[in-house]
Amino acid sequence: HFNKVMSRLESKLPFGERKYSRFVYCGLQVEQVNKNLITGDQYDYIDKLQPMAHKHLAVDKPIPASEQTNFKGLCGGLGWAVINTRLDYAVDVSYLASKGLNATGAGVAMGNKIMRAMSTHPVQLRFFKVGNALADWATVTFHGAGWATRPSLHSQAGGAIFAAEASVRNGDK
């Protein structure tokens, strides 16, 4: 049935090329390794992000208006990585982006540091096939918070919900 639907779709949308097993979608490298495993990473995307020059910027003063677009680009690039594969940096990037028009040289340096860390500590998501019955599944949640981490002493928090094999309930995986 899947191949029939794909053939009809390809005839209706006759552009580009169909890729099998491995492809890039908006900077996300997706690969079906075998029938039980799909991986996703953004190694190449993250390596192509460009750091901002910041040595000339005052650590504690807002960056000039001429640098705002570059800062927004830095935050957007890091945000795209966080949304897709780098949840481990969600709090840091959220904090960085919250600076907005009040970003300082220290904020730019922080963004560059996050970018370097993502690049030097790559992450690959791995999606394994789990049984078909609902009893084969379990819900796993992770939550994190930064208490009074902003200069205003406001806090921030985030979380993620995952589906996993039911064996995680026993601590098996």
Side-chain angles (χ1 to χ4, degrees), residues 73-97:
L74 176 65
C75 292
L78 294 172
W80 185 247
V82 163
I83 287 169
N84 288 289
T85 60
R86 297 310 302 259
L87 186 60
D88 50 333
Y89 286 99
V91 170
D92 296 322
V93 173
S94 172
Y95 176 75
L96 183 69

PDB file of all heavy atoms in Angstrom, residues 73-97:
ATOM      1  N   GLY A  73      20.404  35.605  14.166  1.00  0.00           N
ATOM      2  CA  GLY A  73      20.766  34.449  13.344  1.00  0.00           C
ATOM      3  C   GLY A  73      21.437  33.360  14.163  1.00  0.00           C
ATOM      4  O   GLY A  73      21.163  32.166  13.991  1.00  0.00           O
ATOM      5  N   LEU A  74      22.316  33.775  15.069  1.00  0.00           N
ATOM      6  CA  LEU A  74      22.984  32.826  15.962  1.00  0.00           C
ATOM      7  C   LEU A  74      21.949  32.103  16.827  1.00  0.00           C
ATOM      8  O   LEU A  74      21.942  30.867  16.917  1.00  0.00           O
ATOM      9  CB  LEU A  74      23.994  33.561  16.846  1.00  0.00           C
ATOM     10  CG  LEU A  74      24.729  32.760  17.910  1.00  0.00           C
ATOM     11  CD1 LEU A  74      25.635  31.716  17.271  1.00  0.00           C
ATOM     12  CD2 LEU A  74      25.540  33.703  18.795  1.00  0.00           C
ATOM     13  N   CYS A  75      21.048  32.853  17.425  1.00  0.00           N
ATOM     14  CA  CYS A  75      19.998  32.262  18.271  1.00  0.00           C
ATOM     15  C   CYS A  75      19.083  31.346  17.453  1.00  0.00           C
ATOM     16  O   CYS A  75      18.729  30.250  17.901  1.00  0.00           O
ATOM     17  CB  CYS A  75      19.161  33.340  18.945  1.00  0.00           C
ATOM     18  SG  CYS A  75      20.072  34.274  20.179  1.00  0.00           S
ATOM     19  N   GLY A  76      18.716  31.788  16.262  1.00  0.00           N
ATOM     20  CA  GLY A  76      17.850  30.974  15.401  1.00  0.00           C
ATOM     21  C   GLY A  76      18.514  29.680  14.978  1.00  0.00           C
ATOM     22  O   GLY A  76      17.883  28.615  14.990  1.00  0.00           O
ATOM     23  N   GLY A  77      19.782  29.753  14.615  1.00  0.00           N
ATOM     24  CA  GLY A  77      20.510  28.549  14.216  1.00  0.00           C
ATOM     25  C   GLY A  77      20.621  27.557  15.362  1.00  0.00           C
ATOM     26  O   GLY A  77      20.411  26.349  15.181  1.00  0.00           O
ATOM     27  N   LEU A  78      20.942  28.058  16.540  1.00  0.00           N
ATOM     28  CA  LEU A  78      21.037  27.184  17.707  1.00  0.00           C
ATOM     29  C   LEU A  78      19.655  26.647  18.090  1.00  0.00           C
ATOM     30  O   LEU A  78      19.510  25.488  18.476  1.00  0.00           O
ATOM     31  CB  LEU A  78      21.662  27.934  18.884  1.00  0.00           C
ATOM     32  CG  LEU A  78      23.125  28.350  18.704  1.00  0.00           C
ATOM     33  CD1 LEU A  78      23.562  29.254  19.848  1.00  0.00           C
ATOM     34  CD2 LEU A  78      24.030  27.136  18.586  1.00  0.00           C
ATOM     35  N   GLY A  79      18.641  27.491  17.953  1.00  0.00           N
ATOM     36  CA  GLY A  79      17.277  27.073  18.270  1.00  0.00           C
ATOM     37  C   GLY A  79      16.802  25.939  17.377  1.00  0.00           C
ATOM     38  O   GLY A  79      16.127  25.012  17.828  1.00  0.00           O
ATOM     39  N   TRP A  80      17.156  25.998  16.098  1.00  0.00           N
ATOM     40  CA  TRP A  80      16.767  24.940  15.160  1.00  0.00           C
ATOM     41  C   TRP A  80      17.416  23.612  15.572  1.00  0.00           C
ATOM     42  O   TRP A  80      16.777  22.559  15.517  1.00  0.00           O
ATOM     43  CB  TRP A  80      17.151  25.319  13.737  1.00  0.00           C
ATOM     44  CG  TRP A  80      16.682  24.337  12.714  1.00  0.00           C
ATOM     45  CD1 TRP A  80      17.467  23.531  11.936  1.00  0.00           C
ATOM     46  CD2 TRP A  80      15.331  24.027  12.354  1.00  0.00           C
ATOM     47  NE1 TRP A  80      16.684  22.754  11.118  1.00  0.00           N
ATOM     48  CE2 TRP A  80      15.365  23.035  11.361  1.00  0.00           C
ATOM     49  CE3 TRP A  80      14.102  24.491  12.796  1.00  0.00           C
ATOM     50  CZ2 TRP A  80      14.222  22.492  10.795  1.00  0.00           C
ATOM     51  CZ3 TRP A  80      12.957  23.950  12.222  1.00  0.00           C
ATOM     52  CH2 TRP A  80      13.022  22.976  11.233  1.00  0.00           C
ATOM     53  N   ALA A  81      18.650  23.659  16.005  1.00  0.00           N
ATOM     54  CA  ALA A  81      19.322  22.443  16.473  1.00  0.00           C
ATOM     55  C   ALA A  81      18.632  21.911  17.731  1.00  0.00           C
ATOM     56  O   ALA A  81      18.413  20.707  17.872  1.00  0.00           O
ATOM     57  CB  ALA A  81      20.801  22.715  16.740  1.00  0.00           C
ATOM     58  N   VAL A  82      18.271  22.804  18.654  1.00  0.00           N
ATOM     59  CA  VAL A  82      17.610  22.398  19.898  1.00  0.00           C
ATOM     60  C   VAL A  82      16.265  21.737  19.607  1.00  0.00           C
ATOM     61  O   VAL A  82      15.922  20.708  20.189  1.00  0.00           O
ATOM     62  CB  VAL A  82      17.432  23.612  20.841  1.00  0.00           C
ATOM     63  CG1 VAL A  82      16.402  23.336  21.919  1.00  0.00           C
ATOM     64  CG2 VAL A  82      18.759  23.972  21.478  1.00  0.00           C
ATOM     65  N   ILE A  83      15.502  22.309  18.704  1.00  0.00           N
ATOM     66  CA  ILE A  83      14.174  21.775  18.383  1.00  0.00           C
ATOM     67  C   ILE A  83      14.263  20.365  17.807  1.00  0.00           C
ATOM     68  O   ILE A  83      13.430  19.522  18.100  1.00  0.00           O
ATOM     69  CB  ILE A  83      13.454  22.710  17.378  1.00  0.00           C
ATOM     70  CG1 ILE A  83      13.025  23.979  18.080  1.00  0.00           C
ATOM     71  CG2 ILE A  83      12.262  22.021  16.739  1.00  0.00           C
ATOM     72  CD1 ILE A  83      12.560  25.069  17.142  1.00  0.00           C
ATOM     73  N   ASN A  84      15.292  20.101  17.014  1.00  0.00           N
ATOM     74  CA  ASN A  84      15.381  18.823  16.316  1.00  0.00           C
ATOM     75  C   ASN A  84      16.169  17.747  17.046  1.00  0.00           C
ATOM     76  O   ASN A  84      15.722  16.601  17.121  1.00  0.00           O
ATOM     77  CB  ASN A  84      15.987  19.025  14.927  1.00  0.00           C
ATOM     78  CG  ASN A  84      15.029  19.717  14.019  1.00  0.00           C
ATOM     79  OD1 ASN A  84      14.042  19.153  13.613  1.00  0.00           O
ATOM     80  ND2 ASN A  84      15.309  20.969  13.717  1.00  0.00           N
ATOM     81  N   THR A  85      17.365  18.074  17.537  1.00  0.00           N
ATOM     82  CA  THR A  85      18.219  17.019  18.080  1.00  0.00           C
ATOM     83  C   THR A  85      18.936  17.374  19.368  1.00  0.00           C
ATOM     84  O   THR A  85      19.449  16.485  20.036  1.00  0.00           O
ATOM     85  CB  THR A  85      19.311  16.614  17.062  1.00  0.00           C
ATOM     86  OG1 THR A  85      20.117  17.754  16.748  1.00  0.00           O
ATOM     87  CG2 THR A  85      18.707  16.025  15.796  1.00  0.00           C
ATOM     88  N   ARG A  86      19.031  18.639  19.727  1.00  0.00           N
ATOM     89  CA  ARG A  86      19.876  19.021  20.855  1.00  0.00           C
ATOM     90  C   ARG A  86      19.080  19.565  22.032  1.00  0.00           C
ATOM     91  O   ARG A  86      19.323  20.661  22.534  1.00  0.00           O
ATOM     92  CB  ARG A  86      20.932  20.033  20.395  1.00  0.00           C
ATOM     93  CG  ARG A  86      21.900  19.487  19.359  1.00  0.00           C
ATOM     94  CD  ARG A  86      22.512  18.142  19.749  1.00  0.00           C
ATOM     95  NE  ARG A  86      23.217  18.155  21.002  1.00  0.00           N
ATOM     96  CZ  ARG A  86      24.538  18.219  21.124  1.00  0.00           C
ATOM     97  NH1 ARG A  86      25.294  18.253  20.055  1.00  0.00           N
ATOM     98  NH2 ARG A  86      25.091  18.227  22.316  1.00  0.00           N
ATOM     99  N   LEU A  87      18.152  18.770  22.507  1.00  0.00           N
ATOM    100  CA  LEU A  87      17.339  19.142  23.654  1.00  0.00           C
ATOM    101  C   LEU A  87      18.207  19.437  24.871  1.00  0.00           C
ATOM    102  O   LEU A  87      17.822  20.206  25.750  1.00  0.00           O
ATOM    103  CB  LEU A  87      16.344  18.023  23.962  1.00  0.00           C
ATOM    104  CG  LEU A  87      15.314  18.293  25.043  1.00  0.00           C
ATOM    105  CD1 LEU A  87      14.446  19.492  24.678  1.00  0.00           C
ATOM    106  CD2 LEU A  87      14.454  17.078  25.277  1.00  0.00           C
ATOM    107  N   ASP A  88      19.400  18.853  24.903  1.00  0.00           N
ATOM    108  CA  ASP A  88      20.297  19.057  26.041  1.00  0.00           C
ATOM    109  C   ASP A  88      20.738  20.508  26.192  1.00  0.00           C
ATOM    110  O   ASP A  88      21.222  20.897  27.251  1.00  0.00           O
ATOM    111  CB  ASP A  88      21.516  18.128  25.948  1.00  0.00           C
ATOM    112  CG  ASP A  88      22.219  18.147  24.601  1.00  0.00           C
ATOM    113  OD1 ASP A  88      21.584  18.443  23.574  1.00  0.00           O
ATOM    114  OD2 ASP A  88      23.419  17.840  24.566  1.00  0.00           O
ATOM    115  N   TYR A  89      20.569  21.323  25.174  1.00  0.00           N
ATOM    116  CA  TYR A  89      20.933  22.740  25.255  1.00  0.00           C
ATOM    117  C   TYR A  89      19.717  23.661  25.248  1.00  0.00           C
ATOM    118  O   TYR A  89      19.850  24.870  25.053  1.00  0.00           O
ATOM    119  CB  TYR A  89      21.876  23.115  24.103  1.00  0.00           C
ATOM    120  CG  TYR A  89      23.260  22.573  24.317  1.00  0.00           C
ATOM    121  CD1 TYR A  89      23.669  21.409  23.687  1.00  0.00           C
ATOM    122  CD2 TYR A  89      24.144  23.210  25.182  1.00  0.00           C
ATOM    123  CE1 TYR A  89      24.931  20.894  23.908  1.00  0.00           C
ATOM    124  CE2 TYR A  89      25.408  22.702  25.401  1.00  0.00           C
ATOM    125  CZ  TYR A  89      25.796  21.537  24.763  1.00  0.00           C
ATOM    126  OH  TYR A  89      27.045  21.032  24.994  1.00  0.00           O
ATOM    127  N   ALA A  90      18.535  23.130  25.457  1.00  0.00           N
ATOM    128  CA  ALA A  90      17.308  23.928  25.370  1.00  0.00           C
ATOM    129  C   ALA A  90      17.287  25.086  26.360  1.00  0.00           C
ATOM    130  O   ALA A  90      16.926  26.209  26.001  1.00  0.00           O
ATOM    131  CB  ALA A  90      16.084  23.037  25.564  1.00  0.00           C
ATOM    132  N   VAL A  91      17.667  24.844  27.596  1.00  0.00           N
ATOM    133  CA  VAL A  91      17.631  25.915  28.600  1.00  0.00           C
ATOM    134  C   VAL A  91      18.642  27.001  28.242  1.00  0.00           C
ATOM    135  O   VAL A  91      18.340  28.191  28.300  1.00  0.00           O
ATOM    136  CB  VAL A  91      17.878  25.350  30.022  1.00  0.00           C
ATOM    137  CG1 VAL A  91      18.076  26.469  31.028  1.00  0.00           C
ATOM    138  CG2 VAL A  91      16.708  24.467  30.439  1.00  0.00           C
ATOM    139  N   ASP A  92      19.846  26.597  27.837  1.00  0.00           N
ATOM    140  CA  ASP A  92      20.884  27.572  27.490  1.00  0.00           C
ATOM    141  C   ASP A  92      20.464  28.443  26.303  1.00  0.00           C
ATOM    142  O   ASP A  92      20.624  29.664  26.333  1.00  0.00           O
ATOM    143  CB  ASP A  92      22.199  26.863  27.143  1.00  0.00           C
ATOM    144  CG  ASP A  92      22.785  26.109  28.313  1.00  0.00           C
ATOM    145  OD1 ASP A  92      22.702  26.614  29.446  1.00  0.00           O
ATOM    146  OD2 ASP A  92      23.327  25.018  28.095  1.00  0.00           O
ATOM    147  N   VAL A  93      19.930  27.811  25.272  1.00  0.00           N
ATOM    148  CA  VAL A  93      19.550  28.573  24.072  1.00  0.00           C
ATOM    149  C   VAL A  93      18.329  29.442  24.355  1.00  0.00           C
ATOM    150  O   VAL A  93      18.246  30.573  23.883  1.00  0.00           O
ATOM    151  CB  VAL A  93      19.322  27.622  22.870  1.00  0.00           C
ATOM    152  CG1 VAL A  93      18.767  28.378  21.674  1.00  0.00           C
ATOM    153  CG2 VAL A  93      20.633  26.928  22.500  1.00  0.00           C
ATOM    154  N   SER A  94      17.396  28.950  25.167  1.00  0.00           N
ATOM    155  CA  SER A  94      16.244  29.763  25.551  1.00  0.00           C
ATOM    156  C   SER A  94      16.696  31.011  26.300  1.00  0.00           C
ATOM    157  O   SER A  94      16.225  32.119  26.043  1.00  0.00           O
ATOM    158  CB  SER A  94      15.297  28.933  26.424  1.00  0.00           C
ATOM    159  OG  SER A  94      14.281  29.748  26.959  1.00  0.00           O
ATOM    160  N   TYR A  95      17.616  30.817  27.227  1.00  0.00           N
ATOM    161  CA  TYR A  95      18.157  31.950  27.987  1.00  0.00           C
ATOM    162  C   TYR A  95      18.845  32.942  27.050  1.00  0.00           C
ATOM    163  O   TYR A  95      18.624  34.151  27.134  1.00  0.00           O
ATOM    164  CB  TYR A  95      19.128  31.448  29.046  1.00  0.00           C
ATOM    165  CG  TYR A  95      19.802  32.555  29.813  1.00  0.00           C
ATOM    166  CD1 TYR A  95      19.102  33.273  30.779  1.00  0.00           C
ATOM    167  CD2 TYR A  95      21.128  32.885  29.565  1.00  0.00           C
ATOM    168  CE1 TYR A  95      19.713  34.294  31.485  1.00  0.00           C
ATOM    169  CE2 TYR A  95      21.739  33.912  30.260  1.00  0.00           C
ATOM    170  CZ  TYR A  95      21.039  34.613  31.217  1.00  0.00           C
ATOM    171  OH  TYR A  95      21.639  35.628  31.901  1.00  0.00           O
ATOM    172  N   LEU A  96      19.660  32.417  26.140  1.00  0.00           N
ATOM    173  CA  LEU A  96      20.371  33.273  25.187  1.00  0.00           C
ATOM    174  C   LEU A  96      19.386  34.076  24.339  1.00  0.00           C
ATOM    175  O   LEU A  96      19.515  35.290  24.204  1.00  0.00           O
ATOM    176  CB  LEU A  96      21.257  32.404  24.289  1.00  0.00           C
ATOM    177  CG  LEU A  96      22.123  33.127  23.276  1.00  0.00           C
ATOM    178  CD1 LEU A  96      23.223  33.910  23.984  1.00  0.00           C
ATOM    179  CD2 LEU A  96      22.735  32.125  22.308  1.00  0.00           C
ATOM    180  N   ALA A  97      18.387  33.408  23.793  1.00  0.00           N
ATOM    181  CA  ALA A  97      17.408  34.079  22.936  1.00  0.00           C
ATOM    182  C   ALA A  97      16.578  35.094  23.716  1.00  0.00           C
ATOM    183  O   ALA A  97      16.109  36.082  23.144  1.00  0.00           O
ATOM    184  CB  ALA A  97      16.498  33.045  22.281  1.00  0.00           C
TER     185      ALA A  97
END
